[in-house]
Amino acid sequence: MASSVVSGRQLEKWEKEREDANRTEIPMPKAARDSFNSMQPNFNALAKFEKKLDRFTQRMEDKDSGVKTEAIVNVMSSTAGAGSGDFHTYRGFRKKENARIADFEAARKEDEARRAWEAEQAEREADVLAKRSKKAAKRARQKEKERERQQAEKRARGEASAAAGGAAAGEEGAGGGGGGGPGP
C-alpha cells in the first residue's frame, strides 16, 4: 500500500486556507483601519480623474470612428533594384493591394445593387398604391351608382303604388287604400 507523504509546509498551508475560508472579516492593521475611517474624499482628485477619463474616452471614440485602412508598403516593383528575395515580398504586397481594391469594388457594387433594388421596390410600391387607389375609386363609383339605382327603384315603386293606390281608392270610395303613397 502506498502512502502519501506531505511536508510540514504543505500542512501549514492547508490549515491556513481552512482558517481563511472560515474567517468572516478581512484582517487589517489598526493603522490602516483608522486611516480608512478618517479618510476625507478629495473632490479635486476625483474631478481630475473624471477629466482624464473623458479625454481617454474621447480619444478612443475618435480612434474608432476613423476609417481603418491597411498600410501597404510597396517600396519596389518587380525589377527596380530588387534582390533575389525582394520579388516575393513585392508579390505579397501586390496581392494584398489587389485584394483590398477588390474588396472596395465588391462593396461598391453591393451598395449600388442595394440602391437599385430599393429604387425598384419604391417604384413597385408606388404602382401598387396607384392601382389600389384606382380600384378603390372604381368601387366607390359602383357603390354610388348602385345606391342611385336603388333610390330610383324605390321612387318608381312609390310612384307606381301611389298611382295604383289612388286608382284603387277612387274605386273603393275610401281614402285608406294601399301603397303608402300620399293620398288625395
Side-chain angles (χ1 to χ4, degrees):
M1 215 150 75
S3 64
S4 63
V5 178
V6 178
S7 67
R9 280 190 189 158
Q10 189 66 32
L11 288 173
E12 290 173 2
K13 183 180 173 186
W14 288 343
E15 188 172 336
K16 186 175 180 184
E17 286 175 358
R18 281 193 294 267
E19 288 175 4
D20 289 343
N22 293 334
R23 192 173 298 153
T24 58
E25 62 181 47
I26 299 171
M28 250 176 120
K30 183 174 178 5
R33 274 197 308 264
D34 291 343
S35 68
F36 184 76
N37 290 337
S38 65
M39 184 172 67
Q40 296 295 322
N42 185 353
F43 292 111
N44 292 332
L46 182 62
K48 184 178 176 184
F49 176 74
E50 285 179 349
K51 286 179 186 175
K52 183 178 178 182
L53 187 63
D54 289 339
R55 283 193 311 264
F56 176 73
T57 54
Q58 184 64 34
R59 272 197 322 247
M60 293 305 289
E61 288 172 0
D62 291 344
K63 186 178 180 182
D64 288 343
S65 67
V67 176
K68 292 182 172 110
T69 58
E70 183 180 341
I72 303 296
V73 180
N74 191 0
V75 178
M76 59 185 75
S77 67
S78 61
T79 59
S84 62
D86 290 338
F87 175 70
H88 302 293
T89 305
Y90 160 76
R91 194 170 58 181
F93 287 145
R94 187 180 65 189
K95 185 177 180 181
K96 282 182 186 177
E97 180 66 14
N98 288 340
R100 189 172 75 97
I101 290 171
D103 287 345
F104 284 147
E105 188 66 22
R108 185 189 62 79
K109 284 183 180 179
E110 184 178 319
D111 189 41
E112 188 177 302
R114 183 185 50 80
R115 286 184 184 159
W117 182 81
E118 286 174 354
E120 190 177 326
Q121 284 295 103
E123 187 178 323
R124 284 185 195 149
E125 189 173 337
D127 288 346
V128 166
L129 288 176
K131 285 180 182 178
R132 188 180 295 160
S133 63
K134 185 177 176 183
K135 288 180 181 180
K138 183 178 179 182
R139 284 193 303 270
R141 283 193 311 269
Q142 288 175 344
K143 203 175 206 181
E144 185 62 33
K145 196 173 184 180
E146 180 67 21
R147 279 191 198 130
E148 288 175 4
R149 187 186 62 78
Q150 286 177 355
Q151 287 176 356
E153 283 181 8
K154 201 178 213 181
R155 276 186 297 221
R157 273 188 270 139
E159 289 173 0
S161 66
E171 291 174 5
E172 290 176 12

